[in-house]
Amino acid sequence: MSAARIVVVGTGYVGLTTGACLASLGHRVTCADVDEGKVARLSAGRVDILEPGLAELVAKGLTSGVLSFVGQARDAVADAEAVFLCVPTPMGAGGAADLSAVEAVVAEIGDALPPGCAVVTKSTVPVGTARRIRELLGRSDVAVVSNPEFLREGTAVADFLGPDRIVVGSDDRAAARRVAGLYRALGAPSVVTDAASAELVKYAANCFLAMKLSYVNSIAELCERLGADIEAVTEGMGHDRRIGRSFLKPGPGWGGSCLPKDTSALLRTAEAARFDFGLLAAAIEENIAQRDRVLAKIAGAVGGTLAGARIGLLGLAFKAGTDDLRDSPALSVASMLAAHGAEITAYDPAVTRELSGLTVVDSAYRAADGADAVVVLTEWPEFRQLDWTFLAGLMRGDSVVDTRNLLEPRVVLDAGLSWQGIGRSSAGVLATSVS
Ligand code: UGA
């Protein structure tokens, strides 16, 4: 396909990024969403999601007329060559993915699709969904293709336009190749597979990342017990190209809208296939344990008793660069602190809404005011630029717990505060440089 007519159903961060980026590659794209208010806002160029570069691409697409927004997917698909399904697949009962939104869209558009069209799943869907969609459609003249996305929130546009690979799978290989052709301008390698394999690639990749992070958090814990330094250890590991340098940063546990739901869903898939996926189950358990260890560290920093302690939290989003709070480890830690009777004041540069159980303020200094301990939970770069001497003067206590190893320890120590990271030894902190 050179310039193709494409419909994208769902305008969440995956759908809107997919639509706007495919339009920027020269395709004619209509994005559909059942939320009429959102359609009106997007048609006026207003993007609600915090995603660098996205609003600009939407504006460009609207101005050049290659991108448009509608409420009813059914009205848009009549001349589509490909219809991308980008609707949510949340965690349903028992941890399995809930496919009701995908099924509802298929029921809505099924008989309006033109012959030769490809229905493409972009949302993360369980293995076997392509087959299920084929059954629901009941049309031999429409192909069903799996084309998982690997976008990260906060860098979705850059990830879309500079992908490591494009994965496209269908039992109709010609249709898979046509969909892979939509991305030709990006020059990325494409992996063309059967439908089930493409569906599994997405889970296998996300679960691998989750396991890598749980492994690193476990090694960080061992570092603390053995007097080694995680920064030095991961630096030493990351140079091995078989391991790679990314996803080696310890933290308060992994979260967000994808890794927790996809690890649970793959575990359920494995159970249904009567495979005991102990490795994945352990990665999930380790992630819970990491939050407990962070809680214990904070308790230690305030003398062992959280009841009545005043804690200033820096960061609420599940990672920097997003305002997304879904399955945020920061929020889990906040609610565990609250359950132990701590008084919490929190600041996040991207979060201004009220949250229950804590007071959200509009600056890091306000969060630190009167605090016994300040805890960094999201790796926003601006926390490194704070005036830590001024901040120390506002605090009641002197403890800083940095669950992202974000701050420059020397700066915090020089401000008269104590600093504890994750998996950092005092020798490592003082030696710091690894060249
Ligand atoms: C993840 C995957 O990285 C994407 O490839 C995938 O497309 C996406 O899920 C999805 O399925 O839609 P995302 O959820 O945006 O992307 O976030 P990540 O950047 O992967 O971070 C996930 C969690 O791991 C966050 O809580 C983050 O703070 C944590 N993390 C990440 C670490 O603790 N250390 C690291 O070194 C990297």
Side-chain angles (χ1 to χ4, degrees):
M1 293 183 197
S2 44
R5 293 180 305 283
I6 293 171
V7 172
V8 176
V9 186
T11 59
Y13 96 100
V14 173
L16 190 58
T17 305
T18 301
C21 289
L22 285 173
S24 80
L25 298 182
H27 303 300
R28 190 155 65 74
V29 181
T30 305
C31 295
D33 201 295
V34 285
D35 181 341
E36 294 281 357
K38 198 169 175 192
V39 168
R41 286 195 299 282
L42 286 169
S43 302
R46 292 216 306 279
V47 174
D48 302 333
I49 313 169
L50 180 68
E51 200 58 71
L54 187 56
E56 291 83 345
L57 277 191
V58 168
K60 221 165 134 190
L62 286 168
T63 310
S64 59
V66 290
L67 180 65
S68 58
F69 296 92
V70 297
Q72 299 296 317
R74 194 181 163 80
D75 300 343
V77 299
D79 66 346
E81 289 157 70
V83 177
F84 282 80
L85 306 185
C86 302
V87 291
T89 52
M91 202 189 294
D98 174 355
L99 282 183
S100 50
V102 170
E103 290 171 354
V105 175
V106 171
E108 180 198 347
I109 62 174
D111 61 2
L113 296 168
C117 173
V119 171
V120 188
T121 54
K122 195 84 179 141
S123 311
T124 306
V125 290
V127 179
T129 301
R131 201 184 53 228
R132 169 107 184 97
I133 294 176
R134 263 203 323 276
E135 284 163 11
L136 285 172
L137 280 173
R139 289 189 53 175
S140 55
D141 58 343
V142 170
V144 180
V145 177
S146 162
N147 171 215
E149 53 79 20
F150 302 100
L151 315 175
R152 287 163 302 169
E153 284 189 37
T155 52
V157 170
D159 287 348
F160 191 102
L161 296 175
D164 290 338
R165 78 305 205 186
I166 302 291
V167 175
V168 189
S170 178
D171 298 339
D172 176 344
R173 294 297 171 106
R177 277 191 290 274
R178 279 203 306 280
V179 171
L182 296 172
Y183 298 92
R184 194 164 294 123
L186 297 176
S190 43
V191 180
V192 176
T193 72
D194 59 284
S197 300
E199 288 166 341
L200 188 53
V201 167
K202 176 59 197 245
Y203 285 101
N206 269 4
C207 293
F208 185 81
L209 293 174
M211 288 197 304
K212 196 173 181 187
L213 292 173
S214 280
Y215 182 77
V216 163
N217 285 333
S218 302
I219 294 289
E221 177 60 20
L222 257 190
C223 283
E224 292 190 9
R225 293 174 189 227
L226 302 177
D229 188 65
I230 192 68
E231 301 262 301
V233 172
T234 51
E235 180 73 18
M237 287 165 65
H239 282 283
D240 185 328
R241 276 170 292 174
R242 294 168 304 173
I243 296 172
R245 297 173 70 88
S246 58
F247 269 70
L248 287 184
K249 278 220 74 82
W254 38 269
S257 64
C258 305
L259 266 43
K261 112 179 139 58
D262 292 352
T263 44
S264 288
L266 190 60
L267 203 56
R268 293 293 94 78
T269 300
E271 273 167 24
R274 293 194 297 283
F275 171 59
D276 179 8
F277 202 158
L279 190 57
L280 183 56
I284 296 170
E285 277 165 28
E286 166 54 32
N287 200 39
I288 296 165
Q290 182 68 359
R291 295 174 195 198
D292 292 339
R293 285 195 290 265
V294 164
L295 185 75
K297 202 179 269 269
I298 299 169
V302 296
T305 311
L306 286 167
R310 288 160 78 168
I311 314 285
L313 299 185
L314 299 187
L316 291 167
F318 82 94
K319 64 174 182 177
T322 176
D323 57 358
D324 199 334
L325 297 175
R326 284 176 288 175
D327 252 310
S328 172
L331 282 190
S332 306
V333 170
S335 61
M336 291 193 292
L337 286 169
H340 283 80
E343 279 174 43
I344 305 156
T345 308
Y347 168 68
D348 186 294
V351 180
T352 49
R353 56 190 176 279
E354 289 300 311
L355 296 166
S356 74
L358 50 106
T359 309
V360 179
V361 293
D362 62 1
S363 90
Y365 300 114
R366 288 224 166 85
D369 201 356
D372 296 303
V374 163
V375 182
V376 176
L377 287 168
T378 310
E379 72 283 23
W380 287 103
E382 67 175 74
F383 297 152
R384 289 172 68 95
Q385 313 308 328
L386 292 169
D387 180 341
W388 282 91
T389 305
F390 176 67
L391 187 143
L394 298 169
M395 289 175 65
R396 184 165 81 176
D398 64 359
S399 298
V400 174
V401 177
D402 179 1
T403 72
R404 296 285 187 165
N405 293 344
L406 172 76
L407 307 173
E408 190 51 66
R410 181 43 58 213
V411 172
V412 179
L413 297 174
D414 287 349
L417 297 167
S418 71
W419 180 88
Q420 283 184 80
I422 300 279
R424 302 292 323 265
S425 69
S426 49
V429 167
L430 296 176
T432 311
S433 84
V434 191
S435 55

